[in-house]
Amino acid sequence: MLTDYIIPQTQIAAIIEEAGGDLQIRKDHPVKRPEELAPGECLVKLDCSGACHSDLHAAIGDWPVPPRLPLIGGHEGVGIVVAIGKNTVESPVKLGDRVGIKWIANSCLNCEQCRKGREQNCVKALCSGYTVDGTFQEYVVSYVNYVTPIPEGLPSDAAASILCAGVTVYRALKSSQTSAGDWIVIPGAGGGLGHLAVQYARIRGLRVIAIDTGAEKKNLCLKLGAEKWIDFKENKDIVKEVREATDGLGAHSALVTASSSEGYEQAIEYLRPGGVLMCNGLPGSATLSASVFFTVFKSITICGSYVGNRQDALEAIDIAARGLVKVHFANRPLADLKDVYNGMINGTIAGRVVLDMSKK
């Protein structure tokens, strides 16, 4: 294992200068020098990075919390630690380790939220590809206490999307108050988050109803273990379809991974009494409209779930490393990122896209 790495002065990076502006692929973006790293920081040479819907929102700038600009997006990176900041104490990683970079790049670890396992809600949390530069570049600065070790045998491109999409749905399922044999509905089931939610739900013994549209997504969801498929463009009464599939009682839970308000509003209607609505998808400006009467009358729980903590990431990665969950993805070069965004906008991407940094 090398302990001294040749680190170039410049690199290729995908940069957004202003919200809604053109994505620029630059070949002369500076690489932070090892001697410039602060204690606790590390430099990671990336093998690849997943592309997430959150990256599209950062580029468009349509979330109510604005990103830092100019910005290098991306938060599903996997690569090798090639430098660690001088005077870093008790680093859990060393040079040559293969690690993953997640949405939460760092947090204080000392506040109430961090102590209670909600590091993602820390007021000092840094977000990769949103408040700090992310993984759409060849070299990224991250933090030794927050990078996630990637087990041997799990390929980098197979691990990348577990770091956000996988962790996000895994955490939500843990909070869904479901038991083996329960029915769960997953709107957006054929997408990046959704197709992983189908798999993690099946591992928990849940019975999955997948909602999405298109033949490719249908085949993917059924192949991954969904018991019922509902195409929201072909079925005019989704609530009726869900109830009929669940003995007329409704689903025990819904995990909404779609970025539309409709997916949330319908869920209140097709959940059975005591049902839990897990809010996972992040539409930019949509609101949740629900009948207060029936939410109370049916004892419905509405719960937001925002990515996951470091332990959630380790658990989600371990499940993938054991071959129980697999990301359905296509490899593309970083230069194709704009086309990938267009595919997200048009809803034509089944599963995930992983950007291979070795492809120029």
Side-chain angles (χ1 to χ4, degrees):
M1 181 182 295
L2 290 174
T3 56
D4 292 310
Y5 292 87
I6 298 174
I7 299 169
Q9 296 289 330
T10 60
Q11 61 173 326
I12 299 173
I15 300 175
I16 290 289
E17 292 284 352
E18 58 184 6
D22 289 336
L23 180 73
Q24 302 177 30
I25 304 295
R26 295 185 183 169
K27 298 183 178 181
D28 59 352
H29 189 73
V31 178
K32 191 169 186 178
R33 311 315 301 159
E35 60 272 16
E36 297 172 340
L37 295 172
E41 290 184 342
C42 59
L43 185 67
V44 178
K45 184 182 187 300
L46 290 168
D47 298 327
C48 60
S49 174
C52 176
H53 236 98
S54 299
D55 300 314
L56 175 61
H57 287 293
I60 295 173
D62 66 343
W63 276 353
V65 178
R68 189 214 71 190
L69 294 169
L71 178 71
I72 298 172
H75 55 273
E76 295 182 344
V78 179
I80 302 298
V81 177
V82 295
I84 294 175
K86 187 178 179 180
N87 297 324
T88 295
V89 178
E90 296 183 354
S91 173
V93 296
K94 61 184 182 301
L95 295 182
D97 283 358
R98 191 164 58 113
V99 299
I101 287 87
K102 308 177 292 297
W103 173 254
I104 302 301
N106 201 12
S107 76
C108 79
L109 297 179
N110 292 313
C111 69
E112 177 188 3
Q113 298 299 328
C114 287
R115 293 195 305 270
K116 289 185 174 180
R118 292 192 295 268
E119 300 155 10
Q120 61 271 37
N121 295 119
C122 173
V123 295
K124 295 182 179 179
L126 300 177
C127 299
S128 301
Y130 208 81
T131 61
V132 295
D133 284 337
T135 55
F136 293 157
Q137 56 184 327
E138 294 176 291
Y139 289 82
V140 64
V141 175
S142 195
Y143 300 84
V144 297
N145 285 320
Y146 259 84
V147 292
T148 300
I150 304 299
E152 290 186 19
L154 180 62
S156 295
D157 53 6
S161 294
I162 298 295
L163 295 163
C164 175
V167 173
T168 298
V169 298
Y170 176 73
R171 168 84 173 208
L173 286 164
K174 287 171 66 175
S175 303
S176 66
Q177 301 178 38
T178 50
S179 303
D182 286 355
W183 284 100
I184 188 165
V185 182
I186 305 177
L193 273 73
H195 87 288
L196 291 171
V198 172
Q199 296 176 74
Y200 281 113
R202 293 288 295 133
I203 289 171
R204 293 175 61 86
L206 302 179
R207 306 180 69 181
V208 176
I209 298 174
I211 299 179
D212 216 315
T213 188
E216 185 178 4
K217 292 183 177 182
K218 175 182 179 179
N219 292 336
L220 175 61
C221 291
L222 294 177
K223 178 183 177 181
L224 295 176
E227 292 189 39
K228 182 173 177 60
W229 164 263
I230 299 176
D231 191 310
F232 66 80
K233 288 187 177 180
E234 296 178 358
N235 292 272
K236 302 303 180 183
D237 194 340
I238 291 175
V239 174
K240 179 182 177 182
E241 289 277 341
V242 171
R243 286 177 175 169
E244 288 180 351
T246 55
D247 300 320
L249 300 174
H252 297 85
S253 181
L255 171 52
V256 183
T257 63
S259 293
S260 67
S261 57
E262 290 83 2
Y264 289 99
E265 293 170 4
Q266 293 164 342
I268 299 295
E269 298 184 52
Y270 60 61
L271 287 173
R272 69 178 61 195
V276 178
L277 169 58
M278 296 303 304
C279 304
N280 236 188
L282 279 173
S285 58
T287 59
L288 175 59
S289 177
S291 164
V292 174
F293 179 87
F294 283 107
T295 300
V296 174
F297 186 71
K298 293 171 63 178
S299 301
I300 299 296
T301 298
I302 300 175
C303 181
S305 184
Y306 173 50
V307 289
N309 60 27
R310 293 175 298 165
Q311 182 62 30
D312 295 322
L314 289 169
E315 293 172 7
I317 282 286
D318 175 67
I319 291 170
R322 288 186 279 127
L324 301 176
V325 166
K326 294 182 179 180
V327 181
H328 177 87
F329 65 92
N331 274 317
R332 303 276 292 274
L334 181 60
D336 284 359
L337 182 56
K338 187 173 182 179
D339 290 337
V340 173
Y341 283 163
N342 288 333
M344 291 179 184
I345 292 170
N346 296 322
T348 56
I349 297 175
R352 210 68 160 176
V353 170
V354 176
L355 304 170
D356 186 340
M357 297 304 167
S358 68
K359 294 183 177 181
K360 307 300 183 183

